[in-house]
Amino acid sequence: MIDRYTLSTHHKVLEKHFSAAFKDEFIPRYNAAPTQVLPVITQDNTSHFQYFKWGLISNWANNNKMSPKLFNLDTETLSKKVSHQKSLKLHRCLIPIDGFYVWKPFAKKRAIPYHISRTDKKPLAIAGIWEEKDDFSEEANHTFIMITQHSDDRMTPYQENMPLCLGEKDIISWMNAGTTAPEIEEIIK
């Protein structure tokens, strides 16, 4: 599971890299964690960063505080579960990050943290999906979940999964509302 990442790149660099503007104040994050409100770019508003809470809330939950929250969703589950198909079609998003943390086990109940990032220090675009749900005070609650995939050969010694990092061509397709289901399937494979 990926449960920590960083986003400390200067906001002007992020705006240029993602061709999107910050409406609200940008606060660098060196330890972004689930349940925090973090910037994302949604496919229906690609010109601005929006702040959503990391972690989807179960639709069947009666109490937000007691609800199990999903922070990661692996590509296999995403492809198979009907419950995520609407979000996959209509609510795709990009999660901007500098890097993410993995913990390599080295002894019983002990692990060493590693920060994984690009060698050129450019930001990464991680695939995600988001939801809007009315909370119990009848206000809209926006949440997102990070999509993960099986680790490649370089990451396997550290962790079994990693974020689904999108290349430039995949970013365009991922954020395009006209992208077909087979094209989305190809991206997540």
Side-chain angles (χ1 to χ4, degrees):
M1 174 170 37
I2 306 298
D3 63 356
R4 296 288 190 273
Y5 66 84
T6 58
L7 182 61
S8 58
T9 301
H10 192 277
H11 73 281
K12 292 290 184 193
V13 174
L14 291 170
E15 289 177 333
K16 183 176 180 181
H17 185 81
F18 290 102
S19 300
F22 282 96
K23 287 186 190 177
D24 300 315
E25 179 186 6
F26 171 72
I27 300 170
R29 299 289 184 144
Y30 300 94
N31 191 18
T35 72
Q36 291 181 348
V37 177
L38 301 160
V40 297
I41 303 169
T42 62
Q43 78 184 91
D44 63 342
N45 188 355
T46 59
S47 63
H48 290 93
F49 290 91
Q50 298 178 66
Y51 284 87
F52 291 0
K53 186 179 284 188
W54 184 9
L56 296 184
I57 300 167
S58 300
N59 286 330
W60 49 264
N62 291 328
N63 182 330
N64 276 349
K65 292 183 183 186
M66 299 299 289
S67 167
K69 293 175 182 60
L70 303 172
F71 308 120
N72 298 154
L73 181 63
D74 65 83
T75 54
E76 289 178 17
T77 304
L78 181 63
S79 298
K80 294 175 186 172
K81 286 229 175 181
V82 176
S83 59
H84 296 300
Q85 293 309 305
K86 180 181 176 186
S87 294
L88 190 56
K89 182 178 181 182
L90 302 173
H91 293 161
R92 295 187 301 273
C93 66
L94 291 178
I95 307 162
I97 72 171
D98 300 330
F100 58 96
Y101 294 102
V102 296
W103 283 263
K104 184 176 180 180
F106 76 93
K108 192 174 186 178
K109 296 185 180 184
R110 291 192 160 217
I112 299 173
Y114 288 87
H115 184 256
I116 310 299
S117 64
R118 288 177 54 146
T119 55
D120 62 8
K121 301 300 179 198
K122 287 185 180 178
L124 294 161
I126 306 302
I129 57 175
W130 65 275
E131 285 186 2
E132 178 179 349
K133 182 181 177 189
D134 292 339
D135 67 13
F136 300 102
S137 64
E138 298 182 13
E139 292 184 24
N141 188 7
H142 293 92
T143 59
F144 74 92
I145 190 169
M146 181 183 290
I147 299 173
T148 61
Q149 64 184 6
H150 285 294
S151 291
D152 61 19
D153 292 339
R154 294 173 292 176
M155 285 294 302
T156 302
Y158 303 96
Q159 195 160 296
E160 291 180 13
N161 65 354
M162 61 185 273
L164 178 58
C165 302
L166 300 174
E168 288 182 36
K169 289 181 184 177
D170 289 337
I171 290 172
I172 293 167
S173 295
W174 186 255
M175 298 303 280
N176 184 347
T179 302
T180 63
E183 290 171 323
I184 293 169
E185 277 295 317
E186 194 59 36
I187 293 169
I188 64 175
K189 285 182 181 176

